[in-house]
Short mmCIF file of all heavy atoms in Angstrom, two decimals:
data_model
loop_
_atom_site.label_atom_id
_atom_site.label_comp_id
_atom_site.label_asym_id
_atom_site.label_seq_id
_atom_site.Cartn_x
_atom_site.Cartn_y
_atom_site.Cartn_z
N THR Y 35 8.80 145.77 43.96
CA THR Y 35 8.47 146.07 45.35
C THR Y 35 6.95 146.09 45.43
O THR Y 35 6.30 147.02 44.94
CB THR Y 35 9.05 147.43 45.77
OG1 THR Y 35 10.47 147.42 45.57
CG2 THR Y 35 8.75 147.71 47.24
N ILE Y 36 6.38 145.05 46.00
CA ILE Y 36 4.94 144.80 45.92
C ILE Y 36 4.19 145.48 47.06
O ILE Y 36 4.43 145.20 48.25
CB ILE Y 36 4.66 143.29 45.91
CG1 ILE Y 36 5.29 142.65 44.67
CG2 ILE Y 36 3.16 143.02 45.95
CD1 ILE Y 36 5.18 141.13 44.63
N TYR Y 37 3.27 146.37 46.70
CA TYR Y 37 2.31 146.96 47.62
C TYR Y 37 0.97 146.33 47.29
O TYR Y 37 0.37 146.63 46.26
CB TYR Y 37 2.24 148.48 47.41
CG TYR Y 37 3.50 149.22 47.77
CD1 TYR Y 37 4.58 149.29 46.89
CD2 TYR Y 37 3.61 149.88 49.00
CE1 TYR Y 37 5.73 149.99 47.22
CE2 TYR Y 37 4.77 150.58 49.34
CZ TYR Y 37 5.82 150.63 48.43
OH TYR Y 37 6.97 151.32 48.76
N ASP Y 38 0.49 145.43 48.13
CA ASP Y 38 -0.66 144.60 47.75
C ASP Y 38 -2.01 145.30 47.88
O ASP Y 38 -3.04 144.76 47.50
CB ASP Y 38 -0.68 143.28 48.52
CG ASP Y 38 -0.81 143.44 50.03
OD1 ASP Y 38 -1.11 144.57 50.50
OD2 ASP Y 38 -0.62 142.44 50.75
N GLY Y 39 -2.03 146.53 48.42
CA GLY Y 39 -3.27 147.27 48.55
C GLY Y 39 -3.84 147.28 49.95
O GLY Y 39 -4.82 147.97 50.23
N ASN Y 40 -3.23 146.51 50.88
CA ASN Y 40 -3.74 146.42 52.24
C ASN Y 40 -3.13 147.45 53.19
O ASN Y 40 -3.46 147.47 54.37
CB ASN Y 40 -3.50 145.01 52.79
CG ASN Y 40 -4.44 144.00 52.15
OD1 ASN Y 40 -5.64 144.05 52.37
ND2 ASN Y 40 -3.90 143.08 51.36
N GLY Y 41 -2.22 148.28 52.68
CA GLY Y 41 -1.61 149.30 53.52
C GLY Y 41 -0.44 148.83 54.35
O GLY Y 41 0.12 149.59 55.14
N LYS Y 42 -0.04 147.58 54.16
CA LYS Y 42 1.08 147.02 54.92
C LYS Y 42 2.41 147.34 54.23
O LYS Y 42 2.45 147.83 53.11
CB LYS Y 42 0.91 145.51 55.05
CG LYS Y 42 -0.37 145.10 55.77
CD LYS Y 42 -0.54 143.59 55.76
CE LYS Y 42 -1.85 143.18 56.43
NZ LYS Y 42 -2.08 141.72 56.36
N GLN Y 43 3.50 147.03 54.94
CA GLN Y 43 4.82 147.26 54.38
C GLN Y 43 5.01 146.42 53.11
O GLN Y 43 4.56 145.27 53.03
CB GLN Y 43 5.90 146.87 55.39
CG GLN Y 43 6.05 147.88 56.52
CD GLN Y 43 6.46 149.26 56.02
OE1 GLN Y 43 7.42 149.42 55.27
NE2 GLN Y 43 5.70 150.28 56.43
N PRO Y 44 5.67 146.98 52.10
CA PRO Y 44 5.86 146.23 50.84
C PRO Y 44 6.91 145.14 51.00
O PRO Y 44 7.65 145.10 51.99
CB PRO Y 44 6.35 147.32 49.89
CG PRO Y 44 7.08 148.28 50.77
CD PRO Y 44 6.29 148.32 52.06
N TYR Y 45 6.94 144.27 50.04
CA TYR Y 45 7.93 143.19 50.01
C TYR Y 45 8.37 142.97 48.57
O TYR Y 45 7.66 143.34 47.63
CB TYR Y 45 7.37 141.90 50.61
CG TYR Y 45 6.12 141.39 49.90
CD1 TYR Y 45 6.21 140.47 48.84
CD2 TYR Y 45 4.85 141.82 50.29
CE1 TYR Y 45 5.07 140.01 48.20
CE2 TYR Y 45 3.71 141.36 49.65
CZ TYR Y 45 3.83 140.46 48.61
OH TYR Y 45 2.70 140.01 47.97
N THR Y 46 9.53 142.39 48.39
CA THR Y 46 10.05 142.12 47.04
C THR Y 46 9.57 140.75 46.59
O THR Y 46 9.64 139.77 47.35
CB THR Y 46 11.58 142.16 47.03
OG1 THR Y 46 12.01 143.45 47.46
CG2 THR Y 46 12.12 141.91 45.61
N GLY Y 47 9.06 140.67 45.38
CA GLY Y 47 8.57 139.40 44.88
C GLY Y 47 8.21 139.46 43.41
O GLY Y 47 8.42 140.48 42.73
N ASP Y 48 7.64 138.35 42.94
CA ASP Y 48 7.24 138.22 41.54
C ASP Y 48 5.73 137.99 41.47
O ASP Y 48 5.12 137.45 42.40
CB ASP Y 48 7.96 137.02 40.88
CG ASP Y 48 9.46 137.08 41.06
OD1 ASP Y 48 10.01 138.19 41.02
OD2 ASP Y 48 10.08 136.01 41.25
N ILE Y 49 5.16 138.38 40.35
CA ILE Y 49 3.73 138.17 40.12
C ILE Y 49 3.56 137.51 38.76
O ILE Y 49 4.08 138.00 37.76
CB ILE Y 49 2.95 139.50 40.15
CG1 ILE Y 49 3.08 140.15 41.53
CG2 ILE Y 49 1.47 139.27 39.81
CD1 ILE Y 49 2.40 141.51 41.63
N ALA Y 50 2.81 136.40 38.75
CA ALA Y 50 2.52 135.70 37.49
C ALA Y 50 1.08 135.95 37.09
O ALA Y 50 0.18 135.95 37.94
CB ALA Y 50 2.77 134.20 37.64
N ILE Y 51 0.87 136.15 35.80
CA ILE Y 51 -0.47 136.43 35.27
C ILE Y 51 -0.79 135.45 34.15
O ILE Y 51 0.04 135.23 33.26
CB ILE Y 51 -0.55 137.88 34.76
CG1 ILE Y 51 -0.40 138.86 35.94
CG2 ILE Y 51 -1.86 138.13 34.02
CD1 ILE Y 51 -0.20 140.29 35.53
N ASN Y 52 -1.96 134.87 34.21
CA ASN Y 52 -2.50 134.06 33.12
C ASN Y 52 -3.81 134.68 32.66
O ASN Y 52 -4.71 134.92 33.47
CB ASN Y 52 -2.74 132.61 33.56
CG ASN Y 52 -1.50 131.76 33.42
OD1 ASN Y 52 -0.63 132.03 32.60
ND2 ASN Y 52 -1.41 130.70 34.22
N ALA Y 53 -3.91 134.95 31.37
CA ALA Y 53 -5.11 135.58 30.80
C ALA Y 53 -5.41 136.87 31.57
O ALA Y 53 -4.58 137.76 31.63
CB ALA Y 53 -6.27 134.61 30.79
#
Side-chain angles (χ1 to χ4, degrees):
T35 303
I36 297 175
Y37 294 81
D38 62 11
N40 287 294
K42 300 175 183 176
Q43 285 299 309
Y45 58 92
T46 301
D48 307 323
I49 299 176
I51 294 169
N52 274 334

